[in-house]
Amino acid sequence: MTQRVALVTGAMGGLGTAICQALAKKGHKVVAAYHPQFDKPEEWLKEQAAEGFKDFIPVAGDVSDLASVEKMVADAVEKAGPIDILVNNAGITRDKMFAKMEREQWDAVINTNLSSLFNVTKQVSAKMAERGWGRIINISSVNGVKGQAGQTNYSAAKAGVIGFTKALAQELAAKGVTVNAVAPGYVATKMVTAIREDILKSIVDSVPMKRLAKPEEIGFAVAFLADDLSGFTTGATLNVNGGLNYQ
Ligand code: CAA
């Protein structure tokens, strides 16, 4: 297979780590983008090396800030070469019932989970089109598909991710660049295990498969969409949610 250069945002989080590993297993060169305030990049890199993933290339940048992203992607290209595969994975939650939600919590989630797609994709999409090959994979969420009480900000952003994906897919379809979304259900990462225990239990009970996803199950979906043979798949949302959104 052809080795590609992949840039993964939010790379050092629960889902990001699994995505980096899945792409590395396919033989790709993986640039692991992390927030400048994340204090343990070296530790993460050491852990990855201990698991056999020695070649991740770290770059720092705040995906919610265009100027920071411009520098981050320039750094990535300098270290690894032009980006062939972009995984827009960075995301946060600021869960509150809407009646109690502050504008700050709304803005933080919209900026990090949705406006980041403008900031990061803008740096790479035209160049992918010029080269005639590219994969843009955006991480949405089951809660963008079905809505979730306590997450008007997050559900709006993640539904926005799907709209962005479908629109950009049409713009780039004739240029060899596919744009798809993966909509994970509840995955066993810190973001999910931080939910209050009783609420989490009722969430797991509501999942037809009665369990959380393993991060690797999401990584695999991303690697699938990044494959050469996914070249006819564009504008799609791949639901990986244990059956949750079909209820
Ligand atoms: N639907 C409708 N109303 C609900 C509700 C629901 N699912 N859950 C709670 N409520 C109501 C409660 O009955 C309560 O109403 P009253 O005040 O009238 O009694 C009110 O909302 C407040 O509920 P809480 O006691 O839960 O309020 P809280 O302030 O302690 O907690 C919350 C609010 C933080 C949003 C909490 O409900 C929560 O964590 N909910 C889960 C949200 C969730 O699923 N987040 C996903 C995070 S993981 C992720 O996002 C990854 C991914 O992509 C899947």
Short mmCIF file of all heavy atoms in Angstrom, two decimals, residues 158-202:
data_model
loop_
_atom_site.label_atom_id
_atom_site.label_comp_id
_atom_site.label_asym_id
_atom_site.label_seq_id
_atom_site.Cartn_x
_atom_site.Cartn_y
_atom_site.Cartn_z
N LYS A 158 -21.95 18.79 16.75
CA LYS A 158 -21.73 17.50 16.09
C LYS A 158 -22.69 17.28 14.92
O LYS A 158 -22.36 16.57 13.97
CB LYS A 158 -21.82 16.36 17.12
CG LYS A 158 -20.68 16.38 18.15
CD LYS A 158 -19.32 16.18 17.49
CE LYS A 158 -18.21 15.92 18.50
NZ LYS A 158 -16.90 15.73 17.83
N ALA A 159 -23.89 17.86 15.00
CA ALA A 159 -24.80 17.84 13.83
C ALA A 159 -24.20 18.74 12.74
O ALA A 159 -24.25 18.41 11.55
CB ALA A 159 -26.19 18.32 14.22
N GLY A 160 -23.62 19.86 13.16
CA GLY A 160 -22.94 20.76 12.22
C GLY A 160 -21.81 20.05 11.49
O GLY A 160 -21.58 20.28 10.29
N VAL A 161 -21.11 19.20 12.18
CA VAL A 161 -20.01 18.43 11.57
C VAL A 161 -20.55 17.60 10.40
O VAL A 161 -19.92 17.49 9.35
CB VAL A 161 -19.34 17.52 12.63
CG1 VAL A 161 -18.43 16.48 11.97
CG2 VAL A 161 -18.56 18.36 13.64
N ILE A 162 -21.74 17.04 10.57
CA ILE A 162 -22.32 16.21 9.50
C ILE A 162 -22.71 17.09 8.30
O ILE A 162 -22.44 16.73 7.15
CB ILE A 162 -23.51 15.39 10.05
CG1 ILE A 162 -23.00 14.36 11.06
CG2 ILE A 162 -24.28 14.70 8.90
CD1 ILE A 162 -24.09 13.57 11.79
N GLY A 163 -23.28 18.25 8.57
CA GLY A 163 -23.64 19.17 7.47
C GLY A 163 -22.40 19.62 6.71
O GLY A 163 -22.37 19.63 5.46
N PHE A 164 -21.37 19.99 7.45
CA PHE A 164 -20.09 20.41 6.84
C PHE A 164 -19.56 19.29 5.95
O PHE A 164 -19.13 19.52 4.81
CB PHE A 164 -19.11 20.72 7.97
CG PHE A 164 -17.70 21.02 7.52
CD1 PHE A 164 -17.30 22.32 7.24
CD2 PHE A 164 -16.75 20.00 7.41
CE1 PHE A 164 -15.99 22.59 6.84
CE2 PHE A 164 -15.45 20.27 7.00
CZ PHE A 164 -15.07 21.57 6.71
N THR A 165 -19.61 18.07 6.47
CA THR A 165 -19.08 16.90 5.75
C THR A 165 -19.81 16.70 4.43
O THR A 165 -19.19 16.51 3.38
CB THR A 165 -19.26 15.65 6.65
OG1 THR A 165 -18.51 15.85 7.85
CG2 THR A 165 -18.80 14.37 5.95
N LYS A 166 -21.14 16.77 4.47
CA LYS A 166 -21.92 16.53 3.25
C LYS A 166 -21.67 17.62 2.20
O LYS A 166 -21.61 17.34 1.01
CB LYS A 166 -23.42 16.49 3.58
CG LYS A 166 -23.82 15.26 4.36
CD LYS A 166 -25.29 15.35 4.72
CE LYS A 166 -25.79 14.07 5.37
NZ LYS A 166 -27.17 14.24 5.88
N ALA A 167 -21.55 18.88 2.68
CA ALA A 167 -21.36 19.99 1.74
C ALA A 167 -19.98 19.95 1.12
O ALA A 167 -19.83 20.05 -0.11
CB ALA A 167 -21.58 21.32 2.48
N LEU A 168 -18.95 19.76 1.94
CA LEU A 168 -17.58 19.74 1.40
C LEU A 168 -17.36 18.51 0.52
O LEU A 168 -16.62 18.57 -0.46
CB LEU A 168 -16.55 19.79 2.55
CG LEU A 168 -15.10 20.01 2.11
CD1 LEU A 168 -14.91 21.35 1.38
CD2 LEU A 168 -14.14 19.93 3.30
N ALA A 169 -18.03 17.42 0.85
CA ALA A 169 -17.92 16.20 0.03
C ALA A 169 -18.34 16.52 -1.41
O ALA A 169 -17.69 16.07 -2.36
CB ALA A 169 -18.79 15.09 0.61
N GLN A 170 -19.40 17.30 -1.56
CA GLN A 170 -19.86 17.64 -2.91
C GLN A 170 -18.84 18.53 -3.62
O GLN A 170 -18.58 18.37 -4.82
CB GLN A 170 -21.20 18.35 -2.83
CG GLN A 170 -22.33 17.42 -2.38
CD GLN A 170 -23.65 18.15 -2.21
OE1 GLN A 170 -23.95 19.08 -2.94
NE2 GLN A 170 -24.44 17.72 -1.25
N GLU A 171 -18.25 19.47 -2.86
CA GLU A 171 -17.29 20.38 -3.49
C GLU A 171 -16.04 19.65 -3.97
O GLU A 171 -15.41 20.06 -4.94
CB GLU A 171 -16.91 21.49 -2.50
CG GLU A 171 -18.06 22.43 -2.18
CD GLU A 171 -17.64 23.63 -1.35
OE1 GLU A 171 -16.44 23.98 -1.33
OE2 GLU A 171 -18.52 24.22 -0.69
N LEU A 172 -15.65 18.60 -3.27
CA LEU A 172 -14.37 17.94 -3.57
C LEU A 172 -14.51 16.61 -4.29
O LEU A 172 -13.51 15.96 -4.61
CB LEU A 172 -13.58 17.75 -2.27
CG LEU A 172 -13.16 19.05 -1.56
CD1 LEU A 172 -12.45 18.74 -0.24
CD2 LEU A 172 -12.26 19.90 -2.45
N ALA A 173 -15.75 16.20 -4.55
CA ALA A 173 -16.00 14.85 -5.09
C ALA A 173 -15.25 14.59 -6.40
O ALA A 173 -14.75 13.48 -6.61
CB ALA A 173 -17.50 14.64 -5.30
N ALA A 174 -15.15 15.59 -7.25
CA ALA A 174 -14.52 15.37 -8.56
C ALA A 174 -13.00 15.54 -8.49
O ALA A 174 -12.32 15.46 -9.52
CB ALA A 174 -15.12 16.34 -9.57
N LYS A 175 -12.48 15.77 -7.29
CA LYS A 175 -11.04 16.07 -7.18
C LYS A 175 -10.24 14.96 -6.51
O LYS A 175 -9.10 15.16 -6.10
CB LYS A 175 -10.85 17.35 -6.33
CG LYS A 175 -11.70 18.52 -6.73
CD LYS A 175 -11.02 19.34 -7.79
CE LYS A 175 -11.84 20.57 -8.13
NZ LYS A 175 -11.34 21.25 -9.30
N GLY A 176 -10.88 13.82 -6.30
CA GLY A 176 -10.14 12.71 -5.66
C GLY A 176 -10.07 12.82 -4.15
O GLY A 176 -9.32 12.09 -3.51
N VAL A 177 -10.83 13.76 -3.60
CA VAL A 177 -10.79 13.95 -2.14
C VAL A 177 -12.15 13.56 -1.57
O VAL A 177 -13.18 14.11 -1.97
CB VAL A 177 -10.49 15.43 -1.79
CG1 VAL A 177 -10.44 15.61 -0.27
CG2 VAL A 177 -9.19 15.88 -2.43
N THR A 178 -12.16 12.60 -0.65
CA THR A 178 -13.42 12.22 -0.01
C THR A 178 -13.53 12.89 1.36
O THR A 178 -12.52 13.16 2.02
CB THR A 178 -13.54 10.69 0.16
OG1 THR A 178 -12.56 10.25 1.09
CG2 THR A 178 -13.38 9.97 -1.16
N VAL A 179 -14.76 13.16 1.73
CA VAL A 179 -15.03 13.80 3.02
C VAL A 179 -16.14 13.01 3.70
O VAL A 179 -17.26 12.91 3.17
CB VAL A 179 -15.48 15.27 2.85
CG1 VAL A 179 -15.54 15.98 4.20
CG2 VAL A 179 -14.56 16.03 1.90
N ASN A 180 -15.83 12.40 4.82
CA ASN A 180 -16.81 11.56 5.52
C ASN A 180 -16.78 11.85 7.01
O ASN A 180 -15.81 12.43 7.53
CB ASN A 180 -16.49 10.08 5.29
CG ASN A 180 -16.70 9.67 3.83
OD1 ASN A 180 -17.85 9.57 3.37
ND2 ASN A 180 -15.62 9.46 3.10
N ALA A 181 -17.84 11.43 7.68
CA ALA A 181 -17.89 11.57 9.14
C ALA A 181 -18.01 10.19 9.77
O ALA A 181 -18.58 9.27 9.18
CB ALA A 181 -19.10 12.43 9.53
N VAL A 182 -17.47 10.08 10.96
CA VAL A 182 -17.73 8.91 11.80
C VAL A 182 -18.52 9.45 13.00
O VAL A 182 -18.14 10.47 13.59
CB VAL A 182 -16.42 8.25 12.29
CG1 VAL A 182 -16.71 7.13 13.28
CG2 VAL A 182 -15.64 7.70 11.09
N ALA A 183 -19.63 8.81 13.30
CA ALA A 183 -20.44 9.24 14.45
C ALA A 183 -20.39 8.15 15.52
O ALA A 183 -21.22 7.22 15.51
CB ALA A 183 -21.87 9.51 14.00
N PRO A 184 -19.41 8.26 16.43
CA PRO A 184 -19.33 7.25 17.48
C PRO A 184 -20.48 7.38 18.47
O PRO A 184 -21.01 8.47 18.69
CB PRO A 184 -18.01 7.57 18.19
CG PRO A 184 -17.29 8.55 17.32
CD PRO A 184 -18.36 9.27 16.54
N GLY A 185 -20.83 6.25 19.05
CA GLY A 185 -21.71 6.27 20.21
C GLY A 185 -20.87 6.54 21.45
O GLY A 185 -19.84 7.20 21.38
N TYR A 186 -21.31 6.01 22.56
CA TYR A 186 -20.57 6.22 23.82
C TYR A 186 -19.37 5.26 23.85
O TYR A 186 -19.53 4.04 23.75
CB TYR A 186 -21.49 5.99 25.01
CG TYR A 186 -22.46 7.16 25.20
CD1 TYR A 186 -23.62 7.28 24.45
CD2 TYR A 186 -22.18 8.16 26.13
CE1 TYR A 186 -24.50 8.35 24.60
CE2 TYR A 186 -23.05 9.24 26.30
CZ TYR A 186 -24.20 9.33 25.53
OH TYR A 186 -25.05 10.40 25.69
N VAL A 187 -18.17 5.85 23.97
CA VAL A 187 -16.93 5.08 23.89
C VAL A 187 -16.27 5.10 25.27
O VAL A 187 -16.37 6.10 26.00
CB VAL A 187 -15.97 5.73 22.85
CG1 VAL A 187 -14.75 4.84 22.62
CG2 VAL A 187 -16.69 6.00 21.54
N ALA A 188 -15.58 4.03 25.59
CA ALA A 188 -14.91 3.96 26.90
C ALA A 188 -13.66 4.84 26.91
O ALA A 188 -12.53 4.38 26.77
CB ALA A 188 -14.55 2.51 27.20
N THR A 189 -13.89 6.15 27.02
CA THR A 189 -12.79 7.11 27.16
C THR A 189 -13.11 7.97 28.38
O THR A 189 -14.24 7.93 28.89
CB THR A 189 -12.70 8.06 25.94
OG1 THR A 189 -13.92 8.81 25.88
CG2 THR A 189 -12.51 7.29 24.65
N LYS A 190 -12.14 8.81 28.77
CA LYS A 190 -12.35 9.67 29.95
C LYS A 190 -13.55 10.59 29.79
O LYS A 190 -14.24 10.90 30.75
CB LYS A 190 -11.10 10.53 30.17
CG LYS A 190 -10.07 9.85 31.05
CD LYS A 190 -8.96 10.84 31.40
CE LYS A 190 -7.68 10.10 31.73
NZ LYS A 190 -6.49 10.90 31.48
N MET A 191 -13.80 11.05 28.55
CA MET A 191 -14.92 11.97 28.31
C MET A 191 -16.23 11.32 28.77
O MET A 191 -17.11 11.97 29.33
CB MET A 191 -15.00 12.33 26.84
CG MET A 191 -16.11 13.30 26.50
SD MET A 191 -16.31 13.60 24.74
CE MET A 191 -15.17 14.93 24.46
N VAL A 192 -16.35 10.04 28.54
CA VAL A 192 -17.59 9.33 28.85
C VAL A 192 -17.59 8.81 30.29
O VAL A 192 -18.60 8.92 31.01
CB VAL A 192 -17.82 8.18 27.83
CG1 VAL A 192 -18.95 7.28 28.26
CG2 VAL A 192 -18.10 8.77 26.45
N THR A 193 -16.46 8.30 30.74
CA THR A 193 -16.45 7.74 32.10
C THR A 193 -16.55 8.85 33.15
O THR A 193 -16.81 8.58 34.32
CB THR A 193 -15.23 6.83 32.35
OG1 THR A 193 -14.05 7.55 31.98
CG2 THR A 193 -15.31 5.55 31.52
N ALA A 194 -16.39 10.13 32.71
CA ALA A 194 -16.56 11.27 33.63
C ALA A 194 -18.03 11.56 33.91
O ALA A 194 -18.36 12.32 34.83
CB ALA A 194 -15.89 12.51 33.04
N ILE A 195 -18.94 10.98 33.13
CA ILE A 195 -20.38 11.20 33.35
C ILE A 195 -20.76 10.60 34.71
O ILE A 195 -20.24 9.53 35.08
CB ILE A 195 -21.22 10.53 32.23
CG1 ILE A 195 -20.85 11.14 30.87
CG2 ILE A 195 -22.72 10.68 32.48
CD1 ILE A 195 -21.51 10.42 29.68
N ARG A 196 -21.67 11.27 35.41
CA ARG A 196 -22.12 10.76 36.73
C ARG A 196 -22.51 9.29 36.62
O ARG A 196 -23.18 8.91 35.65
CB ARG A 196 -23.30 11.62 37.21
CG ARG A 196 -23.33 11.83 38.71
CD ARG A 196 -24.41 12.82 39.07
NE ARG A 196 -25.74 12.26 38.84
CZ ARG A 196 -26.85 13.00 38.64
NH1 ARG A 196 -26.76 14.33 38.60
NH2 ARG A 196 -28.02 12.43 38.48
N GLU A 197 -22.11 8.51 37.63
CA GLU A 197 -22.22 7.05 37.54
C GLU A 197 -23.65 6.56 37.20
O GLU A 197 -23.84 5.72 36.32
CB GLU A 197 -21.75 6.44 38.85
CG GLU A 197 -21.25 5.02 38.70
CD GLU A 197 -20.79 4.45 40.04
OE1 GLU A 197 -20.28 5.23 40.89
OE2 GLU A 197 -20.98 3.24 40.24
N ASP A 198 -24.65 7.14 37.90
CA ASP A 198 -26.02 6.67 37.67
C ASP A 198 -26.49 7.01 36.26
O ASP A 198 -27.18 6.22 35.59
CB ASP A 198 -26.97 7.26 38.73
CG ASP A 198 -26.91 8.78 38.77
OD1 ASP A 198 -25.82 9.35 38.60
OD2 ASP A 198 -27.97 9.41 38.97
N ILE A 199 -26.07 8.20 35.77
CA ILE A 199 -26.47 8.60 34.41
C ILE A 199 -25.80 7.68 33.39
O ILE A 199 -26.42 7.20 32.45
CB ILE A 199 -26.12 10.09 34.14
CG1 ILE A 199 -26.89 11.00 35.09
CG2 ILE A 199 -26.39 10.46 32.69
CD1 ILE A 199 -26.57 12.48 34.96
N LEU A 200 -24.50 7.40 33.62
CA LEU A 200 -23.77 6.55 32.69
C LEU A 200 -24.40 5.16 32.63
O LEU A 200 -24.54 4.56 31.55
CB LEU A 200 -22.29 6.46 33.09
CG LEU A 200 -21.39 5.67 32.14
CD1 LEU A 200 -21.47 6.22 30.71
CD2 LEU A 200 -19.94 5.69 32.60
N LYS A 201 -24.83 4.68 33.80
CA LYS A 201 -25.45 3.34 33.83
C LYS A 201 -26.72 3.34 32.96
O LYS A 201 -26.95 2.43 32.17
CB LYS A 201 -25.77 2.93 35.28
CG LYS A 201 -26.27 1.51 35.33
CD LYS A 201 -26.68 1.07 36.72
CE LYS A 201 -27.27 -0.34 36.70
NZ LYS A 201 -28.33 -0.56 35.72
N SER A 202 -27.51 4.41 33.11
CA SER A 202 -28.75 4.41 32.31
C SER A 202 -28.46 4.58 30.82
O SER A 202 -29.19 4.06 29.97
CB SER A 202 -29.75 5.46 32.83
OG SER A 202 -29.28 6.73 32.53
#
